[in-house]
Amino acid sequence: MSIDTDTARRVAKLARIRVEDEALPALASEFNTILGFIEQLQEVDVEGVEPMTGVTPMHLKRREDVVTDGSQPEKVLANAPDAREGFFAVPKVVE
């Protein structure tokens, strides 16, 4: 696939990026370089390779999923703009 200056102009317009007409050939060339790199990546054999979320293997620590009351309601409500009787107070939004 090759990007010409008209396509580069259209992509810039869609991205809402102002590009002067004299800069369009350079932009089209950069797009073509990126697409060439993507084509190279598509040629890599990834058969049997597990998907990764990071470059180093990492296992997250697990904990019991236990429901508690938080044991610190004073600290939680200290950040509330308005708290009454141990609860968050919110303005009425429906009349």
Side-chain angles (χ1 to χ4, degrees), residues 77 79-84 87-91:
L77 292 174
N79 292 324
D82 188 11
R84 296 180 195 154
F87 296 98
F88 288 98
V90 296

Side-chain angles (χ1 to χ4, degrees), residues 31-73:
F31 284 151
N32 285 321
T33 302
I34 293 168
L35 290 175
F37 181 68
I38 291 171
E39 287 175 3
Q40 282 182 343
L41 288 176
Q42 288 177 340
E43 295 173 3
V44 175
D45 180 22
V46 293
E47 187 68 32
V49 177
E50 292 289 322
M52 300 173 40
T53 58
V55 294
T56 58
M58 183 187 299
H59 299 285
L60 298 176
K61 295 178 182 176
R62 304 281 180 175
R63 65 173 172 80
E64 284 287 320
D65 190 14
V66 179
V67 177
T68 66
D69 64 354
S71 302
Q72 46 189 337

Side-chain angles (χ1 to χ4, degrees), residues 5 8 18-30:
T5 55
R18 184 182 314 155
V19 178
E20 301 299 328
D21 287 339
E22 57 271 4
L24 284 172
L27 182 63
S29 175
E30 288 183 36

